[in-house]
Each structure stands twice: as C-alpha cells, then as structure tokens.
Amino acid sequence: ITPKSTLPEYIRIGRLKALSDVTIPVLFPINSKNFSGITLLYSNNENKREVLNQMQYIAIDLLKQLNPDMLRLSFVDIGFDTSFPYLCALEIPQVKFIDKREDLYLEIEDLYAHARYISTKCLQFTYPDLATYNQEAQYKEAYRFLFIPEKLSGLFKESYLEKVTMLIRDGWKYGI
C-alpha cells in the first residue's frame, strides 16, 4: 500500500468474527463532517488493555494509510505504566506521548491554535474543511489525532473542558 496525502474515507478499527472461520473487517467512517471521534469503553482492567491495544491498532493503520508528513498522533499516557508499549517501542517521529498534565494542557492549546490557523489561513471561507483544502492545495496540512485513554472529566481542568469540547465537536473541519 502506498501512503497517500488525503484522509481515507474509512479506517479499520478491528475485525468481527462472523462464523467460526470467517472474519470481516470493521470499518469506521472518519472523513466526514459527522465524525467527532471514536469512543471505546472499558469496564475493568482486562477490557482497558484491549481498548488501549485497539487505540494502537488504529494508529498503526493510520500510519500505513497516510503519508507520514500528513499525520501527527498524540497519546495521553499519564501514569506509571505506559499504556501504549507497542508504539513506544517503534519510536516513530509522528507519534508523541504526553506523560504530564502540564504537557496535556499545552497540547490542547496547540490543537486549539492549530484549528484557528487552519480556519484563517487555509479554509478562509473557501473550503468547508481541511480534507477538501488538502485535495486542492499545493502545500498540504497534516491531520492530527489525539488519543485519550481516560475520562475527560477527571483529566482536564474546568477551564480546558470548553476547548476540548470544541475540538471534539468541530475538530473534523480542521483535521483534528
């Protein structure tokens, strides 16, 4: 597969075992104005490990499908144990691990500033979203993904929840 510079219509998020010997890929539309993120829930530590592995799987699938210059992946990894051991071991320049709350707040500020930059410098009321802009532009802007393995309410200060909510709701327009 040759990586490309446009966001794929769908991303594979796993496989569904249909019959004893048949598996079907599970696809999720990500290149859509209706996309505001994927929520994977867990109920215990065993399920949490499965969810964290699934996040890594999604990231690796994105890395396979997109040109590396077109992708920035950030993983919130606050705590003693690394939540993303496979990606940590790969040491990929496009993958960043955020292991301090202060760095998480800086990441949210950076994503918010990036959204404003895309809105004013790229979209300029001419393009509806970054995906459309990137299809026509000579200089393309990278897509950014933020993987958060914890509940938002316990992770962010009250003052950041509004920005995080905006990024979740409208980030698709700006490639976030």
Side-chain angles (χ1 to χ4, degrees):
I1 296 176
T2 304
K4 54 186 183 173
S5 60
T6 57
L7 198 60
E9 287 292 320
Y10 296 92
I11 185 165
R12 186 174 26 182
I13 62 169
R15 294 187 179 144
L16 180 64
K17 194 169 188 172
L19 301 170
S20 61
D21 60 345
V22 176
T23 59
I24 302 168
V26 178
L27 303 175
F28 195 85
I30 63 169
N31 193 357
S32 161
K33 68 179 183 177
N34 297 320
F35 178 74
S36 62
I38 299 172
T39 302
L40 304 171
L41 301 175
Y42 58 87
S43 58
N44 57 43
N45 282 339
E46 185 177 319
N47 294 92
K48 182 177 181 179
R49 176 50 45 205
E50 290 175 18
V51 166
L52 295 172
N53 286 342
Q54 190 62 38
M55 288 180 167
Q56 293 178 102
Y57 178 84
I58 291 168
I60 290 169
D61 198 45
L62 283 168
L63 287 163
K64 288 188 321 188
Q65 291 191 51
L66 281 169
N67 180 321
D69 294 336
M70 295 299 300
L71 192 59
R72 303 290 178 273
L73 304 172
S74 299
F75 289 83
V76 177
D77 198 10
I78 298 172
F80 290 114
D81 297 325
T82 182
S83 297
F84 308 101
Y86 306 120
L87 287 171
C88 281
L90 294 176
E91 298 181 13
I92 301 167
Q94 294 81 7
V95 177
K96 174 169 58 170
F97 297 96
I98 301 165
D99 59 1
K100 297 182 200 118
R101 279 191 197 274
E102 298 78 26
D103 293 340
L104 175 59
Y105 299 142
L106 291 173
E107 181 72 10
I108 296 303
E109 291 293 344
D110 182 56
L111 289 171
Y112 190 79
H114 180 71
R116 291 183 54 83
Y117 167 80
I118 295 297
S119 177
T120 58
K121 301 294 184 191
C122 299
L123 304 184
Q124 300 176 346
F125 300 106
T126 304
Y127 302 98
D129 54 50
L130 185 63
T132 305
Y133 169 83
N134 276 346
Q135 287 175 351
E136 298 179 23
Q138 181 178 358
Y139 299 106
K140 300 176 184 333
E141 291 290 333
Y143 299 99
R144 297 176 179 214
F145 289 81
L146 179 62
F147 294 80
I148 304 172
E150 302 296 331
K151 293 178 185 173
L152 294 178
S153 60
L155 198 56
F156 293 101
K157 294 180 196 175
E158 188 73 28
S159 59
Y160 281 86
L161 284 176
E162 185 177 328
K163 287 183 179 179
V164 170
T165 301
M166 187 280 303
L167 290 169
I168 291 170
R169 185 188 64 235
D170 300 326
W172 66 271
K173 287 188 240 182
Y174 315 111
I176 300 171

